[in-house]
Each structure stands twice: as C-alpha cells, then as structure tokens.
Amino acid sequence: MLGLTRLIYHWTAGTHKASDLDKQHYHFIIEGDGTVVPGVYKPEDNASTKDGKYAAHTLNCNAGSIGVSLACMAGALEVPFTSGKYPMTKAQWDAGVKLGAELCKRYRIEVTPQTVLSHAEVQGTLRIKQRGKWDYTRLSWAPDVRGATNCGNLLRNLIKKELET
C-alpha cells in the first residue's frame, strides 16, 4: 500500500497483556502467549499523520510506519540488564516474526535495516532522535544476542526466512 514503508518493533514496558493504552499506540500488540491483538488504528491510518488520527508509536517517525509491539518488559532495566516480571517470550518473538513477514508481503516492504527495525535502531539507522529507547537491545530468551543491531539483524533474517516459506 502506498505510503507504508517500514515496520518498527517495540515492547510496551508493560505486562504480557495488551492494555487500552497499548492499543492506542500500536497497530498490533503481541501478548505473552503469542496472541496478536489489533490496535485501534489500522496501518493505513499511518500512511499520513496530518489528520492526527494515527498510532503514535515512534517519535517523529510515525508517518509511513507500522507499529508492532510485544506486550512485555514491565520493570525491565537496561543496565544491569534485567527483564523484569514480564520478560519477552519466545512465543511473542516468533509471532512477531510471522506477523512481520505477513505485513512486509501485504504492504510490499522490502526487509532492510531502514525498513524493518526495532525502536532502538531508529536513532542510529534513520538518524531520527529518540528519547533513550532500548527496545530491543536485549532478548530475554536469547541472552547471547546483545545490542540493537544484533537484535535487529536476527529479526530481519528470521522475517526473510519466513518470507521464503
């Protein structure tokens, strides 16, 4: 669809359930068991943000962006890393990969670091200043994967693999 050019992945910093606030800010929220919950806004609402009716998920980067968030990480700390009471689950991650492949196919989004990325990659990759967002720089279920680029590369590689099936 014209106007939708990227997917930006987040975590809610909440529990494993999608809240009403989460539904306002993301197009899709993936709960702890992998259930995908639609948000209030459709991805097409973010093709343009001029009318003010869109999912506001990424500072200065909402127009053209689909927001996908995993419901998790309440109480998490970046340093020293702890994933809090609601760590990201492998079921969420896997559902996010599958959803990402479906969205890339539907909206004809090529999988690149500029078009499929985590919120933690936005500032470094797109040069759009963010406010200390570190989702995703660590994966609770894969402690050896560290840093925004490594997490993003894993996500993109798995989405590409899913698209091949």
Side-chain angles (χ1 to χ4, degrees):
M1 162 135 302
L2 188 62
L4 293 170
T5 59
R6 76 178 66 85
L7 303 178
I8 301 178
Y9 282 80
H10 306 262
W11 57 47
T12 63
T15 70
H16 282 139
K17 293 291 183 185
S19 72
D20 289 339
L21 183 62
D22 298 336
K23 293 174 189 174
Q24 291 288 326
H25 289 280
Y26 306 107
H27 298 104
F28 303 96
I29 305 95
I30 303 170
E31 295 185 329
D33 64 358
T35 300
V36 178
V37 176
V40 171
Y41 297 101
K42 296 177 181 159
E44 291 80 7
D45 293 328
N46 280 52
S48 171
T49 57
K50 293 180 188 210
D51 65 0
K53 297 177 183 175
Y54 64 93
H57 52 82
T58 307
L59 183 64
N60 297 320
C61 193
N62 292 300
S65 298
I66 301 169
V68 175
S69 191
L70 308 189
C72 61
M73 301 301 279
L77 293 173
E78 185 175 14
V79 179
F81 176 68
T82 177
S83 55
K85 290 183 179 182
Y86 301 93
M88 180 190 298
T89 68
K90 183 74 164 62
Q92 287 176 298
W93 177 269
D94 292 344
V97 166
K98 184 174 181 182
L99 177 62
E102 292 169 5
L103 293 169
C104 286
K105 186 174 183 179
R106 181 183 313 155
Y107 296 104
R108 297 184 180 130
I109 298 171
E110 183 181 359
V111 181
T112 72
Q114 293 76 31
T115 59
V116 177
L117 63 163
S118 73
H119 199 168
E121 294 178 285
V122 169
Q123 186 166 310
T125 302
L126 301 179
R127 304 290 182 229
I128 299 170
K129 188 155 178 63
Q130 300 298 297
R131 295 186 186 127
K133 297 299 181 178
W134 60 285
D135 45 329
Y136 316 147
T137 59
R138 299 294 293 266
L139 305 174
S140 305
W141 50 270
D144 293 339
V145 180
R146 296 180 180 191
T149 302
N150 289 332
C151 292
N153 285 341
L154 178 61
L155 178 66
R156 285 183 288 277
N157 289 336
L158 291 171
I159 289 173
K160 286 178 185 177
K161 187 174 181 182
E162 182 71 25
L163 283 167
E164 292 170 0
T165 61

PDB file of all heavy atoms in Angstrom, residues 41-42 44-55 63:
ATOM      1  N   TYR A  41      -5.977   1.736  15.654  1.00  0.00           N
ATOM      2  CA  TYR A  41      -5.721   2.256  14.314  1.00  0.00           C
ATOM      3  C   TYR A  41      -5.231   1.165  13.381  1.00  0.00           C
ATOM      4  O   TYR A  41      -4.474   0.289  13.781  1.00  0.00           O
ATOM      5  CB  TYR A  41      -4.687   3.391  14.377  1.00  0.00           C
ATOM      6  CG  TYR A  41      -5.189   4.570  15.173  1.00  0.00           C
ATOM      7  CD1 TYR A  41      -4.769   4.771  16.477  1.00  0.00           C
ATOM      8  CD2 TYR A  41      -6.097   5.458  14.618  1.00  0.00           C
ATOM      9  CE1 TYR A  41      -5.236   5.836  17.221  1.00  0.00           C
ATOM     10  CE2 TYR A  41      -6.577   6.537  15.356  1.00  0.00           C
ATOM     11  CZ  TYR A  41      -6.144   6.721  16.652  1.00  0.00           C
ATOM     12  OH  TYR A  41      -6.613   7.777  17.381  1.00  0.00           O
ATOM     13  N   LYS A  42      -5.644   1.244  12.139  1.00  0.00           N
ATOM     14  CA  LYS A  42      -5.166   0.347  11.092  1.00  0.00           C
ATOM     15  C   LYS A  42      -3.835   0.888  10.575  1.00  0.00           C
ATOM     16  O   LYS A  42      -3.588   2.098  10.640  1.00  0.00           O
ATOM     17  CB  LYS A  42      -6.175   0.272   9.954  1.00  0.00           C
ATOM     18  CG  LYS A  42      -7.484  -0.333  10.371  1.00  0.00           C
ATOM     19  CD  LYS A  42      -8.461  -0.322   9.228  1.00  0.00           C
ATOM     20  CE  LYS A  42      -9.776  -0.920   9.702  1.00  0.00           C
ATOM     21  NZ  LYS A  42     -10.886  -0.537   8.874  1.00  0.00           N
ATOM     22  N   GLU A  44      -2.984   1.610   7.673  1.00  0.00           N
ATOM     23  CA  GLU A  44      -3.248   2.655   6.672  1.00  0.00           C
ATOM     24  C   GLU A  44      -3.442   4.035   7.305  1.00  0.00           C
ATOM     25  O   GLU A  44      -3.211   5.053   6.647  1.00  0.00           O
ATOM     26  CB  GLU A  44      -4.491   2.288   5.846  1.00  0.00           C
ATOM     27  CG  GLU A  44      -4.293   1.112   4.932  1.00  0.00           C
ATOM     28  CD  GLU A  44      -4.380  -0.257   5.605  1.00  0.00           C
ATOM     29  OE1 GLU A  44      -4.741  -0.349   6.808  1.00  0.00           O
ATOM     30  OE2 GLU A  44      -4.061  -1.249   4.935  1.00  0.00           O
ATOM     31  N   ASP A  45      -3.848   4.083   8.570  1.00  0.00           N
ATOM     32  CA  ASP A  45      -4.008   5.370   9.252  1.00  0.00           C
ATOM     33  C   ASP A  45      -2.671   6.092   9.405  1.00  0.00           C
ATOM     34  O   ASP A  45      -2.655   7.309   9.601  1.00  0.00           O
ATOM     35  CB  ASP A  45      -4.653   5.170  10.629  1.00  0.00           C
ATOM     36  CG  ASP A  45      -6.092   4.692  10.531  1.00  0.00           C
ATOM     37  OD1 ASP A  45      -6.793   5.060   9.558  1.00  0.00           O
ATOM     38  OD2 ASP A  45      -6.520   3.938  11.426  1.00  0.00           O
ATOM     39  N   ASN A  46      -1.568   5.355   9.327  1.00  0.00           N
ATOM     40  CA  ASN A  46      -0.248   5.968   9.445  1.00  0.00           C
ATOM     41  C   ASN A  46       0.389   6.287   8.095  1.00  0.00           C
ATOM     42  O   ASN A  46       1.514   6.758   8.053  1.00  0.00           O
ATOM     43  CB  ASN A  46       0.688   5.092  10.273  1.00  0.00           C
ATOM     44  CG  ASN A  46       0.459   5.258  11.751  1.00  0.00           C
ATOM     45  OD1 ASN A  46      -0.673   5.147  12.215  1.00  0.00           O
ATOM     46  ND2 ASN A  46       1.508   5.511  12.507  1.00  0.00           N
ATOM     47  N   ALA A  47      -0.322   6.041   7.005  1.00  0.00           N
ATOM     48  CA  ALA A  47       0.209   6.440   5.696  1.00  0.00           C
ATOM     49  C   ALA A  47       0.466   7.947   5.711  1.00  0.00           C
ATOM     50  O   ALA A  47       1.451   8.429   5.151  1.00  0.00           O
ATOM     51  CB  ALA A  47      -0.754   6.055   4.580  1.00  0.00           C
ATOM     52  N   SER A  48      -0.406   8.675   6.387  1.00  0.00           N
ATOM     53  CA  SER A  48      -0.220  10.102   6.640  1.00  0.00           C
ATOM     54  C   SER A  48      -0.666  10.367   8.068  1.00  0.00           C
ATOM     55  O   SER A  48      -1.616   9.744   8.545  1.00  0.00           O
ATOM     56  CB  SER A  48      -1.064  10.940   5.681  1.00  0.00           C
ATOM     57  OG  SER A  48      -1.031  12.302   6.068  1.00  0.00           O
ATOM     58  N   THR A  49       0.017  11.273   8.733  1.00  0.00           N
ATOM     59  CA  THR A  49      -0.342  11.594  10.116  1.00  0.00           C
ATOM     60  C   THR A  49      -0.933  13.002  10.221  1.00  0.00           C
ATOM     61  O   THR A  49      -1.156  13.488  11.321  1.00  0.00           O
ATOM     62  CB  THR A  49       0.891  11.469  11.024  1.00  0.00           C
ATOM     63  OG1 THR A  49       1.931  12.325  10.525  1.00  0.00           O
ATOM     64  CG2 THR A  49       1.397  10.039  11.074  1.00  0.00           C
ATOM     65  N   LYS A  50      -1.208  13.622   9.103  1.00  0.00           N
ATOM     66  CA  LYS A  50      -1.657  15.016   9.093  1.00  0.00           C
ATOM     67  C   LYS A  50      -3.015  15.224   9.749  1.00  0.00           C
ATOM     68  O   LYS A  50      -3.286  16.289  10.280  1.00  0.00           O
ATOM     69  CB  LYS A  50      -1.671  15.553   7.669  1.00  0.00           C
ATOM     70  CG  LYS A  50      -0.274  15.667   7.101  1.00  0.00           C
ATOM     71  CD  LYS A  50      -0.247  16.202   5.704  1.00  0.00           C
ATOM     72  CE  LYS A  50       1.165  16.072   5.214  1.00  0.00           C
ATOM     73  NZ  LYS A  50       1.632  16.978   4.300  1.00  0.00           N
ATOM     74  N   ASP A  51      -3.876  14.196   9.735  1.00  0.00           N
ATOM     75  CA  ASP A  51      -5.205  14.353  10.332  1.00  0.00           C
ATOM     76  C   ASP A  51      -5.214  14.110  11.835  1.00  0.00           C
ATOM     77  O   ASP A  51      -6.231  14.289  12.496  1.00  0.00           O
ATOM     78  CB  ASP A  51      -6.224  13.444   9.643  1.00  0.00           C
ATOM     79  CG  ASP A  51      -5.946  11.960   9.830  1.00  0.00           C
ATOM     80  OD1 ASP A  51      -4.955  11.593  10.503  1.00  0.00           O
ATOM     81  OD2 ASP A  51      -6.731  11.157   9.287  1.00  0.00           O
ATOM     82  N   GLY A  52      -4.079  13.671  12.404  1.00  0.00           N
ATOM     83  CA  GLY A  52      -3.987  13.428  13.835  1.00  0.00           C
ATOM     84  C   GLY A  52      -4.610  12.121  14.294  1.00  0.00           C
ATOM     85  O   GLY A  52      -4.625  11.826  15.480  1.00  0.00           O
ATOM     86  N   LYS A  53      -5.106  11.318  13.381  1.00  0.00           N
ATOM     87  CA  LYS A  53      -5.741  10.041  13.717  1.00  0.00           C
ATOM     88  C   LYS A  53      -4.843   8.907  13.254  1.00  0.00           C
ATOM     89  O   LYS A  53      -4.992   8.393  12.144  1.00  0.00           O
ATOM     90  CB  LYS A  53      -7.119   9.950  13.068  1.00  0.00           C
ATOM     91  CG  LYS A  53      -8.077  10.999  13.581  1.00  0.00           C
ATOM     92  CD  LYS A  53      -9.403  10.937  12.881  1.00  0.00           C
ATOM     93  CE  LYS A  53     -10.296  12.048  13.389  1.00  0.00           C
ATOM     94  NZ  LYS A  53     -11.555  12.097  12.652  1.00  0.00           N
ATOM     95  N   TYR A  54      -3.893   8.536  14.098  1.00  0.00           N
ATOM     96  CA  TYR A  54      -2.907   7.515  13.757  1.00  0.00           C
ATOM     97  C   TYR A  54      -2.315   6.941  15.033  1.00  0.00           C
ATOM     98  O   TYR A  54      -2.483   7.505  16.105  1.00  0.00           O
ATOM     99  CB  TYR A  54      -1.808   8.105  12.868  1.00  0.00           C
ATOM    100  CG  TYR A  54      -0.988   9.182  13.544  1.00  0.00           C
ATOM    101  CD1 TYR A  54       0.195   8.867  14.201  1.00  0.00           C
ATOM    102  CD2 TYR A  54      -1.403  10.513  13.521  1.00  0.00           C
ATOM    103  CE1 TYR A  54       0.937   9.851  14.840  1.00  0.00           C
ATOM    104  CE2 TYR A  54      -0.660  11.497  14.150  1.00  0.00           C
ATOM    105  CZ  TYR A  54       0.502  11.165  14.804  1.00  0.00           C
ATOM    106  OH  TYR A  54       1.245  12.136  15.436  1.00  0.00           O
ATOM    107  N   ALA A  55      -1.624   5.840  14.904  1.00  0.00           N
ATOM    108  CA  ALA A  55      -0.943   5.205  16.033  1.00  0.00           C
ATOM    109  C   ALA A  55       0.406   5.895  16.229  1.00  0.00           C
ATOM    110  O   ALA A  55       1.297   5.766  15.392  1.00  0.00           O
ATOM    111  CB  ALA A  55      -0.761   3.711  15.779  1.00  0.00           C
ATOM    112  N   ALA A  63       4.674   8.624  10.428  1.00  0.00           N
ATOM    113  CA  ALA A  63       4.149   8.642   9.061  1.00  0.00           C
ATOM    114  C   ALA A  63       4.850   7.560   8.241  1.00  0.00           C
ATOM    115  O   ALA A  63       6.076   7.493   8.192  1.00  0.00           O
ATOM    116  CB  ALA A  63       4.352  10.006   8.420  1.00  0.00           C
TER     117      ALA A  63
END
